[in-house]
Amino acid sequence: MKTSKIILVVILCLIASIIMRVLFVIGLVLLSFLGKYDTVEGIDNYSKYIYLNEYGGDLDSELSIFPEDSSNMQDAFFTSSLKTSLLDTDGYIILKAKYNDEMFENEIERLSDINITIYESCSSDSNYYTNNIKYDNSSYNYPAYITIDGFSHTYEYALIDRENKEIIYMYLSYPGENVSKYKEYLKRDESEYSKKDTLELFSIYNHSFDGGRSYMESMDCAE
């Protein structure tokens, strides 16, 4: 009889433990879906370092496509809307800026020179690989310099509007094809956003040293 009671207590404890774990997971999922987006508007609020400090590695990006500051911009527009979920950050960062002729060419030169080195480990003699920014003149409505092209459902690129001397800088995580804020800046073929094996896609900030079994990020060894 005593043994039966002990077994019953053990079974009840196991059931209670399972229920608590299920409730915990449900709570996390609800928190992820019900969390609010943090929306920012206005060029006076532009600073990519605020996003890097606040969201860190969840962005899967160093936002290198974005300019250091807005001092050389004309008729600039800035908006962002981001939400941190269970595993990463969803949303967008959009910066549109016009430049005079000289600064426009200088900015294109900066974009074309972007490269990121990824290290296999944090040791001083580590193997490393350098990724260069991609240039694409067919996927978007404008020629594009691309630092992330779908890796982990994330996109980061600059669209070059030469006619208006304007550059549109974009960061998208899990983009929604019908979002009016940036629909005109999405890929012409929106089926591209439905790809499943996104770790095979391009990111200047990531590289696999073992044939795709794992990926190192450029931020992994940052202090």
Side-chain angles (χ1 to χ4, degrees):
M1 189 72 177
K2 186 176 181 180
T3 302
S4 298
K5 289 183 178 180
I6 292 174
I7 293 174
L8 178 61
V9 169
V10 170
I11 292 174
L12 290 175
C13 288
L14 288 173
I15 293 173
S17 176
I18 291 171
I19 292 174
M20 291 299 293
R21 291 181 182 182
V22 170
L23 291 175
F24 178 72
V25 171
I26 291 173
L28 288 177
V29 171
L30 287 175
L31 180 64
S32 175
F33 281 100
L34 297 178
K36 293 183 178 180
Y37 281 90
D38 182 16
T39 300
V40 177
E41 301 272 356
I43 191 61
D44 291 339
N45 296 314
Y46 172 71
S47 171
K48 69 178 184 180
Y49 297 107
I50 290 177
Y51 295 91
L52 292 172
N53 290 334
E54 183 169 347
Y55 297 99
D58 287 345
L59 293 174
D60 295 321
S61 168
E62 296 180 30
L63 300 180
S64 59
I65 206 82
F66 288 85
E68 296 291 318
D69 59 58
S70 59
S71 59
N72 295 315
M73 299 176 185
Q74 302 172 359
D75 299 326
F77 167 86
F78 174 70
T79 183
S80 71
S81 186
L82 297 171
K83 177 183 74 172
T84 299
S85 59
L86 284 176
L87 301 176
D88 47 27
T89 295
D90 303 347
Y92 60 81
I93 303 172
I94 304 172
L95 171 66
K96 296 192 290 184
K98 292 184 177 181
Y99 298 92
N100 63 34
D101 290 351
E102 180 182 3
M103 295 309 303
F104 183 74
E105 296 302 329
N106 287 346
E107 183 61 7
I108 291 176
E109 182 178 1
R110 180 190 73 83
L111 291 169
S112 65
D113 288 340
I114 291 175
N115 63 77
I116 299 291
T117 298
I118 301 100
Y119 293 88
E120 187 174 11
S121 71
C122 297
S123 63
S124 59
D125 59 348
S126 171
N127 293 329
Y128 62 88
Y129 185 87
T130 299
N131 277 325
N132 294 300
I133 195 168
K134 291 200 314 182
Y135 179 75
D136 182 337
N137 63 359
S138 61
S139 295
Y140 296 90
N141 291 327
Y142 302 93
Y145 286 97
I146 301 169
T147 46
I148 311 178
D149 195 20
F151 185 91
S152 192
H153 302 284
T154 302
Y155 300 80
E156 181 182 293
Y157 50 95
L159 302 176
I160 310 301
D161 180 357
R162 283 196 169 274
E163 182 178 352
N164 296 300
K165 297 292 188 296
E166 184 175 55
I167 300 178
I168 302 102
Y169 307 88
M170 303 288 299
Y171 172 88
L172 303 174
S173 180
Y174 293 90
E177 293 89 337
N178 296 315
V179 175
S180 59
K181 282 275 187 182
Y182 55 76
K183 185 171 176 58
E184 65 182 300
Y185 306 128
L186 292 175
K187 290 189 173 188
R188 290 171 173 168
D189 181 4
E190 294 184 5
S191 67
E192 291 282 317
Y193 300 111
S194 301
K195 289 182 176 179
K196 302 299 182 183
D197 297 327
T198 61
L199 294 184
E200 297 180 358
L201 302 178
F202 174 74
S203 171
I204 199 173
Y205 308 108
N206 291 268
H207 182 72
S208 176
F209 293 90
D210 56 13
R213 292 190 297 275
S214 64
Y215 288 84
M216 291 295 292
E217 295 183 1
S218 59
M219 300 78 80
D220 283 342
C221 294
E223 294 183 357

